């Protein structure tokens, strides 16, 4: 249960002082052809279809936006069964967007620009809080998350890559933003040493304090590092294994999917 977990929130994601968009018009923009609460599905560029979940309060006050991107062979519904992000968005006041890749496979050269363009359409159509824009993804979706970190760190509040090979961010940005980085120690597809390599690269890029362990329980551990400007990097490791021997720990911890 969420109440049983330690605080891994980022201090600069507090809604206090959010953009005052209560008097701004919500209206269709670009590929967002309708603006209403609840669930919508929008076809857009590069053959991508976007599932969007908007809480009712986001039509009256500025909400944040979370992009939650699936991995290879998955789709938006399967991603949501594992992250429960749509329900969490209603609870916490976030518009959640979960894109569907053509043929269930992401290609950065073909798809990244279209995904970001839709992000901008959502922010404009819903008059969203531009200071609460987050990007997360699993496996291929995590690779995309790293590319978004490289390309758009100045416009994002945080990123959270889950189970990535760590090779899809050619040059880390100058802008410091919070990172929540998760990986399975028993991952067969993207070995754990790749996560350690990415961790070491991030830690070497920005000046962080020594790691402080904030979770130490059977099956999962987490460490927090913080820069002198107060930007957090949290590295979260889990020992969970999927039933498939082809995946091992390349999975969402605790998921039966």
């Amino acid at each position: 249960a969420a109440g049983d977990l330690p605080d891994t929130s980022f201090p600069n994601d507090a809604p206090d002082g959010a953009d005052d968009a209560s008097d701004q018009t919500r209206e269709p923009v670009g590929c967002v052809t309708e603006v209403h609460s609840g669930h919508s599905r929008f076809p857009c560029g590069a053959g991508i279809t976007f599932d969007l979940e908007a809480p009712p309060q986001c039509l009256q006050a500025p909400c944040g936006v979370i992009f939650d991107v699936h991995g290879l062979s998955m789709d938006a519904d399967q991603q949501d069964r594992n992250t429960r992000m749509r329900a969490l968005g209603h609870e916490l006041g976030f518009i959640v967007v979960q894109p569907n890749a053509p043929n269930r496979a992401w290609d950065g050269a073909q798809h990244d620009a279209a995904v970001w363009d839709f992000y901008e359409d959502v922010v404009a159509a819903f008059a969203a809080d531009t200071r609460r824009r987050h990007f997360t993804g699993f496996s291929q979706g995590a690779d995309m998350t790293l590319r978004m970190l490289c390309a758009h760190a100045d416009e994002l509040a945080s990123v959270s890559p889950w189970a990535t090979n760590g090779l899809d961010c050619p040059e880390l940005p100058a802008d410091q933003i919070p990172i929540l980085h998760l990986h399975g120690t028993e991952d067969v597809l993207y070995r754990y040493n790749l996560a350690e390599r990415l961790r070491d690269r991030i830690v070497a890029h920005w000046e962080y304090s020594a790691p402080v362990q904030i979770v130490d329980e059977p099956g999962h551990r987490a460490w927090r590092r913080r820069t002198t400007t107060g930007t957090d990097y949290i590295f979260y490791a889990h020992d969970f294994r999927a039933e498939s021997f082809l995946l091992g720990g390349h999975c969402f911890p605790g998921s039966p999917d």
Side-chain angles (χ1 to χ4, degrees), residues 85 118 124 196 204 207 240 242:
M85 201 67 74
F118 190 81
E196 294 178 312
E207 185 177 350
F240 189 80

Side-chain angles (χ1 to χ4, degrees), residues 113-145:
V115 169
W116 187 256
D117 286 347
F118 190 81
Y119 209 138
E120 300 281 17
D121 289 348
V122 171
V123 170
F126 283 88
D129 183 351
T130 58
R131 287 172 288 185
R132 298 174 67 206
R133 301 167 67 172
H134 306 273
F135 207 103
T136 184
F138 174 76
S139 192
Q140 276 197 349
D143 298 343
M144 181 183 289
T145 300

Side-chain angles (χ1 to χ4, degrees), residues 185-231:
T185 60
E186 303 296 323
D187 195 320
V188 172
L189 295 184
Y190 290 169
R191 297 288 184 178
Y192 186 69
N193 69 302
L194 294 174
E196 294 178 312
R197 188 185 307 171
L198 175 59
R199 176 201 63 198
D200 294 345
R201 182 182 171 204
I202 292 171
V203 170
H205 184 69
W206 292 299
E207 185 177 350
Y208 287 96
S209 62
V212 175
Q213 190 159 14
I214 57 175
V215 178
D216 185 10
E217 298 180 5
H220 54 280
R221 298 155 302 284
W223 298 263
R224 183 197 299 269
R225 292 171 170 86
R226 182 166 289 171
T227 68
T228 55
T229 58
T231 304

Side-chain angles (χ1 to χ4, degrees), residues 144-153 168-173 201:
M144 181 183 289
T145 300
L146 288 179
R147 295 193 298 270
M148 294 301 178
L149 168 66
C150 282
H152 301 292
D168 272 6
C169 195
E171 184 176 352
L172 289 168
R201 182 182 171 204

Side-chain angles (χ1 to χ4, degrees), residues 24-54:
Q24 296 182 25
T25 303
R26 273 74 170 170
E27 58 186 11
V29 175
C31 286
V32 182
T33 55
E34 300 177 0
V35 178
H36 57 77
S37 62
H39 196 79
S40 304
R41 178 168 287 183
F42 300 103
C44 200
I48 304 169
T49 301
F50 295 85
D51 280 64
L52 184 151
E53 187 77 21

Side-chain angles (χ1 to χ4, degrees), residues 33-99:
T33 55
E34 300 177 0
V35 178
H36 57 77
S37 62
H39 196 79
S40 304
R41 178 168 287 183
F42 300 103
C44 200
I48 304 169
T49 301
F50 295 85
D51 280 64
L52 184 151
E53 187 77 21
Q57 61 266 35
C58 297
L59 301 182
Q60 306 298 326
C63 284
V65 181
I66 298 173
F67 264 54
D68 181 29
V69 185
H70 68 73
L72 178 66
S73 82
M74 298 172 64
D75 61 15
D77 288 337
Q78 187 176 16
Q79 179 77 2
D80 192 69
R81 287 197 298 272
N82 287 281
T83 64
R84 300 185 298 112
M85 201 67 74
R86 297 172 194 172
L88 289 169
H90 277 272
E91 179 183 340
L92 300 173
F94 282 91
I95 299 162
V96 174
V97 180
Q98 294 159 319

